[in-house]
Amino acid sequence: MALCSSSSQKTWIVHGILAGTAIAAAIGAHAYLGRSKKFRSRVVGIIPARYASSRFEGKPLVQILGKPMIQRTWERSKLASTLDHVVVATDDERIADCCRGFGADVIMPSESCRNGTERCNEALEKLEKEYDVVVNIQGDEPLIEPEIIDGVVKALQVAPDAVFSTAVTSLKPEDGLDPNRVKCVVDNRGYAIYFSRGLIPYNKSGGVNLDFPYMLHLGIQSFDSKFLKVYSELQPTPLQLEEDLEQLKVLENGYKMKVIKVDHEAHGVDTPEDVEKIESLMRERNLS
């Protein structure tokens, strides 16, 4: 994940941040939104982390230039000015012990959680304080930029008709057909229309249009805390299951999702091979 070299490169391009009234298709959505129009000032960042992974077992504990990846993600997240608290949510004692060792607060959700969003919800319920906004921070983003965290939080705070916010950046043409790179399309007011592992939009030629500004989803997401509880009670939806993308359950149930576009080069760790790429990038930028 490349750090921007100047303040101008870190400037957020927020698409049409406008307050309005959501037209919610899901049952009870409209009533929920009517109750949740407030500033959302209390914010917690939660980093879900699990040991088991089909592509990279034990990923949160992999060493990146001498520190566990989960520690690097936690340290970067702590720099975000909008977060009042940062915790790690894991059901694995090895990860929990590691995190406590470098000073992180740890919440242990149950092993029955099916995804990171459900782990965030359980962690939220176990926290002693109440929060208005929950930021789900991907544990495999050791170079996450604090400004991106702040950006998604502020986007949700100024869009009372949305219950969810996230970030996108420009998609590299060579990643257009990679199913591990999730694409996103938004409307003219900056609300998400759809996310897909396939190339969207998809043109008649069947190839990547080098002149089109495709957008890559960065994974970080921010929830209204009340909606997070609602989300966990919603049944899985067809598009969510087909694409294996949690955020589609939000859209399929008629809720609004705010999207910001940022200047950013994604450097997440999906496979063991990505570790060397991250370390090389850190050496190039003199990051310790």
Side-chain angles (χ1 to χ4, degrees):
M1 183 178 297
L3 296 179
C4 299
S5 59
S6 69
S7 59
S8 62
Q9 288 177 303
K10 288 184 175 180
T11 300
W12 305 127
I13 307 172
V14 182
H15 295 273
I17 297 180
L18 300 171
T21 303
I23 302 174
I27 297 175
H30 183 72
Y32 165 77
L33 289 170
R35 293 194 300 270
S36 63
K37 293 182 179 179
K38 47 185 160 180
F39 184 62
R40 300 164 172 166
S41 60
R42 299 167 298 180
V43 185
V44 61
I46 300 179
I47 308 172
R50 65 189 188 98
Y51 193 89
S53 171
S54 59
R55 290 186 295 175
F56 195 172
E57 186 175 41
K59 181 166 64 171
L61 301 182
V62 67
Q63 293 288 309
I64 297 181
L65 294 186
K67 289 183 180 181
M69 180 168 66
I70 188 68
Q71 179 176 354
R72 291 199 174 277
T73 303
W74 177 79
E75 289 176 347
R76 298 292 297 171
S77 301
K78 293 278 286 183
L79 298 175
S81 63
T82 55
L83 300 184
D84 299 305
H85 190 36
V86 179
V87 301
V88 175
T90 183
D91 57 11
D92 190 275
E93 287 291 349
R94 291 164 291 189
I95 296 175
D97 289 343
C98 173
C99 292
R100 294 187 186 105
F102 59 75
D105 288 334
V106 178
I107 299 292
M108 300 285 289
S110 66
E111 295 182 6
S112 63
C113 292
R114 294 168 292 184
N115 51 53
T117 305
E118 291 189 4
R119 290 185 189 91
C120 283
N121 184 51
E122 276 205 21
L124 179 65
E125 292 175 347
K126 292 182 178 182
L127 289 172
E128 295 180 358
K129 294 183 179 180
E130 292 187 357
Y131 294 93
D132 304 311
V133 175
V134 178
V135 186
N136 181 344
I137 303 167
Q138 302 298 306
D140 56 5
E141 295 278 355
L143 296 182
I144 181 68
E145 294 179 31
E147 294 86 358
I148 292 181
I149 297 174
D150 292 336
V152 296
V153 170
K154 292 173 182 178
L156 191 60
Q157 288 174 333
V158 299
D161 56 339
V163 296
F164 183 113
S165 63
T166 190
V168 297
T169 193
S170 297
L171 177 74
K172 295 179 179 179
E174 60 266 30
D175 291 333
L177 302 179
D178 184 349
N180 293 316
R181 300 297 188 216
V182 176
K183 296 80 176 175
C184 175
V185 288
V186 302
D187 67 18
N188 290 334
R189 298 177 62 230
Y191 290 92
I193 298 174
Y194 193 66
F195 296 85
S196 180
R197 295 185 181 278
L199 182 65
I200 52 173
Y202 193 76
N203 59 56
K204 291 189 295 183
S205 71
V208 177
N209 178 0
L210 298 180
D211 296 322
F212 189 86
Y214 299 102
M215 291 187 289
L216 171 70
H217 184 222
L218 294 180
I220 186 171
Q221 47 205 26
S222 168
F223 294 91
D224 179 284
S225 62
K226 292 180 181 178
F227 173 72
L228 184 57
K229 298 175 183 178
V230 173
Y231 176 94
S232 298
E233 296 172 356
L234 295 173
Q235 292 299 309
T237 54
L239 295 176
Q240 174 200 1
L241 294 174
E242 182 64 19
E243 296 262 18
D244 190 21
L245 295 174
E246 300 172 40
Q247 59 270 33
L248 289 178
K249 185 165 73 168
V250 179
L251 298 180
E252 283 186 87
N253 278 286
Y255 293 95
K256 289 282 191 178
M257 185 184 305
K258 198 70 182 178
V259 180
I260 63 170
K261 185 177 180 183
V262 301
D263 290 324
H264 176 80
E265 187 175 354
H267 285 281
V269 176
D270 296 316
T271 66
E273 292 73 27
D274 290 329
V275 174
E276 185 176 345
K277 297 176 183 177
I278 288 285
E279 291 184 331
S280 296
L281 178 67
M282 293 178 68
R283 291 189 186 99
E284 289 174 7
R285 299 178 181 275
N286 295 317
L287 299 173
S288 59

